[in-house]
Amino acid sequence: MSERFIAALAALLVPLLIVCSTGHAQQAEQPDNEQAVEPPIIIDAEKTDYDLRSGLTRFDDDVNIQRGAMHVKADRGTARQADGRITVVELHGSPTIWTDVLDDGTRVDGEAERIHFNVDANVITLTGNARISHAQGETTADELVYNLTTEKMEARSL
């Protein structure tokens, strides 16, 4: 049976709620209304280990993440929380696969050995045999940094 970890990142007039399929729920502080409303991050995995003190959740075996139109598939990963909300998600796989649909409806696909998602900055960093392809072409590099808000990408050699 897979575990499900749901974290609402921002919702107007509704507190943040984190739920695991084990039935445990934790209510966290309501985010500032000045932040953009984002869909919740939903993480499914075969195994989930949550440390209440550190705010670190580890996911193993068939990790699937969804946030609106964004989907990520990985072998394993971690999510870090601060003040009751997810701030960073880090995923590893052979490869880790990422797909998203842009505001104009075009699809973006990416893969890498490691994907780091800075939730606060809304930036995804793909590292290790990184590749992003979209309607305008394909980019490969040691590291690709993609800003989900501005839809701008930076390629780096390490």
Side-chain angles (χ1 to χ4, degrees):
M1 182 165 102
S2 89
E3 298 284 321
R4 177 168 268 193
F5 181 87
I6 303 172
L9 294 177
L12 296 173
L13 306 176
V14 179
L16 182 67
L17 185 63
I18 300 167
V19 181
C20 293
S21 68
T22 57
H24 301 288
Q26 173 186 353
Q27 186 171 330
E29 294 179 24
Q30 183 174 337
D32 294 336
N33 287 339
E34 294 178 16
Q35 295 177 342
V37 176
E38 295 288 347
I41 293 175
I42 301 170
I43 305 174
D44 282 317
E46 292 298 320
K47 182 180 177 192
T48 303
D49 180 30
Y50 180 61
D51 184 333
L52 291 170
R53 286 189 179 161
S54 70
L56 183 69
T57 304
R58 294 182 197 285
F59 304 96
D60 285 301
D61 303 326
D62 197 29
V63 179
N64 291 285
I65 297 177
Q66 180 178 353
R67 180 187 187 206
M70 181 177 72
H71 293 73
V72 184
K73 183 168 177 47
D75 297 332
R76 65 191 182 288
T78 58
R80 182 161 305 281
Q81 294 182 61
D83 298 324
R85 60 186 183 76
I86 294 177
T87 57
V88 173
V89 177
E90 187 154 322
L91 303 160
H92 299 269
S94 300
T96 301
I97 309 282
W98 165 69
T99 61
D100 200 359
V101 177
L102 303 179
D103 291 339
D104 67 3
T106 60
R107 182 176 160 144
V108 178
D109 296 295
E111 67 178 51
E113 294 168 9
R114 177 178 157 244
I115 294 179
H116 178 92
F117 179 25
N118 181 326
V119 177
D120 291 337
N122 210 24
V123 172
I124 291 187
T125 303
L126 294 86
T127 307
N129 297 314
R131 177 188 63 81
I132 292 180
S133 60
H134 49 85
Q136 296 176 357
E138 181 174 292
T139 303
T140 60
D142 294 330
E143 182 176 82
L144 296 170
V145 180
Y146 188 77
N147 186 309
L148 296 166
T149 304
T150 63
E151 298 179 359
K152 292 183 180 180
M153 180 176 52
E154 179 181 335
R156 300 177 185 158
S157 293
L158 301 178

